[in-house]
Amino acid sequence: MKFRTFGYFFKQAGISLWRNFWMSLAAAASVAISMFLLGAFLLLVFNVNYIASRLQSNVEIAAFFRVDMPRQEAYQIMDRVKGMPGVAEVILVPKEEGLKELSRQFGGEGELLEATGGVNPLPDYLRVRVANPETIHEIAQAIANLPGVEKVNYGQEVVERLFAVVRWLRWLGAGVILVLGLGALFLIVLTIRLTVYSRRREISIMKYVGATDWFIRWPFFLEGLFLGLAGSACAALAVYISYKLLLQRLETALVFIPLLNDQQLLLNSVFCLAAGGALVGALGSLLSIRRFLKV
């Protein structure tokens, strides 16, 4: 196809957009609204996954030794735990440090020792972090089977409920994003179809004078591409600015909730949003014009 022909297509697309200004504006606005809602919920799902991952990463195993176990033997067991597949970090907490931590929570260290007859009743224990939180149960079982380990605790019921909630939220998020995406596609196709319908006589005349289907399609394809890009670019910009402003307010108001503040991920998301809107606009034009080419 010649460069001059492409120039003609762009010119016709521009003339059509100007002649049908209000319909084009409505199409771009529908793209902007649909993509803004999709982008906002996408960032919400990203934050839910981020918070869930942070909570999961804070889950750790506490493995308690016998009270009378020699420290050297405790270090040997720690080395064995470090060598287990899936273990990310192992820290040995001596009984003296455990007593200090307990005294900070419930009272002075001297009072606790006095109450126990001057003997530290606490054992040494290991704090174990795993690389993949989903494997925590298997690793806890393996540690519990080691000689000298009396008790293993990782809040099994709480952890299993947490993992179930996280899985449910991720599936729900994926489902809602899919529904919003299909809804956006339907709304955009419907709006662009109204634009194409208003020009059905023009399409019929072009068919009767011998224009090929793709000769007719190209200007509409470019129109849809431009409308989708314009609408989704506005939506992407609005999502970016809104999220940045919201982040500034929530980071000071809700310090205890970790929020996603990854600039690269945010830029990638808004770029994909803009590109997705352009693609949907072009696809909507091709789908909308198909029935009017059957003359």
Side-chain angles (χ1 to χ4, degrees):
M1 191 177 294
K2 295 181 180 179
F3 181 77
R4 185 182 302 175
T5 308
F6 267 114
Y8 169 79
F9 291 151
F10 276 102
K11 182 179 178 181
Q12 288 300 115
I15 292 172
S16 175
L17 287 170
W18 180 252
R19 282 179 180 172
N20 301 275
F21 177 77
W22 293 110
M23 289 295 294
S24 300
L25 187 63
S30 70
V31 174
I33 293 170
S34 302
M35 300 309 285
F36 178 82
L37 292 174
L38 183 61
F41 194 82
L42 192 64
L43 288 177
L44 177 63
V45 171
F46 282 163
N47 272 284
V48 169
N49 285 335
Y50 178 69
I51 294 170
S53 298
R54 287 287 297 271
L55 290 173
Q56 286 181 328
S57 65
N58 289 330
V59 174
E60 61 182 24
I61 302 168
F64 298 93
F65 299 127
R66 296 192 320 270
V67 177
D68 58 347
M69 175 180 284
R71 185 67 51 80
Q72 188 62 34
E73 189 176 339
Y75 277 115
Q76 290 174 359
I77 295 176
M78 183 181 74
D79 292 336
R80 290 183 63 181
V81 174
K82 281 183 178 179
M84 289 181 177
V87 172
E89 183 184 20
V90 183
I91 299 173
L92 176 66
V93 181
K95 61 176 70 179
E96 296 80 11
E97 188 177 331
L99 182 64
K100 288 179 181 179
E101 187 176 336
L102 194 65
S103 66
R104 282 195 296 267
Q105 295 178 6
F106 299 105
E109 185 175 338
E111 295 176 1
L112 286 173
L113 285 174
E114 186 180 345
T116 57
V119 179
N120 186 348
L122 302 178
D124 295 338
Y125 72 96
L126 296 177
R127 290 169 53 189
V128 183
R129 287 182 180 272
V130 297
N132 180 9
E134 297 288 343
T135 63
I136 193 168
H137 178 72
E138 291 78 9
I139 294 174
Q141 285 292 109
I143 295 173
N145 293 330
L146 293 175
V149 177
E150 281 202 338
K151 182 182 177 183
V152 170
N153 182 25
Y154 64 96
Q156 181 176 358
E157 291 185 5
V158 176
V159 169
E160 287 178 354
R161 286 181 183 178
L162 173 64
F163 289 168
V165 169
V166 168
R167 283 192 294 269
W168 182 80
L169 285 175
R170 283 173 176 166
W171 278 108
L172 178 65
V176 173
I177 287 175
L178 180 61
V179 170
L180 281 175
L182 292 175
L185 177 63
F186 175 76
L187 181 61
I188 293 166
V189 169
L190 184 63
T191 307
I192 294 176
R193 179 168 289 182
L194 291 175
T195 306
V196 175
Y197 182 77
S198 66
R199 298 166 58 191
R200 63 191 183 281
R201 291 187 61 189
E202 177 186 339
I203 296 171
S204 299
I205 292 170
M206 292 178 71
K207 283 289 290 182
Y208 281 127
V209 297
T212 63
D213 288 349
W214 272 107
F215 189 87
I216 299 171
R217 281 192 183 108
W218 269 109
F220 286 98
F221 174 81
L222 294 173
E223 281 182 57
L225 186 69
F226 176 77
L227 291 174
L229 182 61
S232 59
C234 292
L237 184 62
V239 166
Y240 181 83
I241 294 174
S242 301
Y243 186 73
K244 279 294 185 182
L245 293 174
L246 186 65
L247 203 60
Q248 290 175 2
R249 296 198 174 198
L250 292 182
E251 279 184 336
T252 54
L254 301 174
V255 184
F256 54 90
I257 297 180
L259 295 174
L260 185 62
N261 192 9
D262 188 336
Q263 180 71 13
Q264 190 59 47
L265 178 63
L266 184 57
L267 288 174
N268 289 341
S269 299
V270 296
F271 175 78
C272 290
L273 203 64
L279 182 64
V280 167
L283 181 63
S285 289
L286 292 178
L287 292 175
S288 302
I289 198 174
R290 187 174 55 179
R291 60 174 293 195
F292 299 106
L293 293 175
K294 298 175 182 179
V295 177

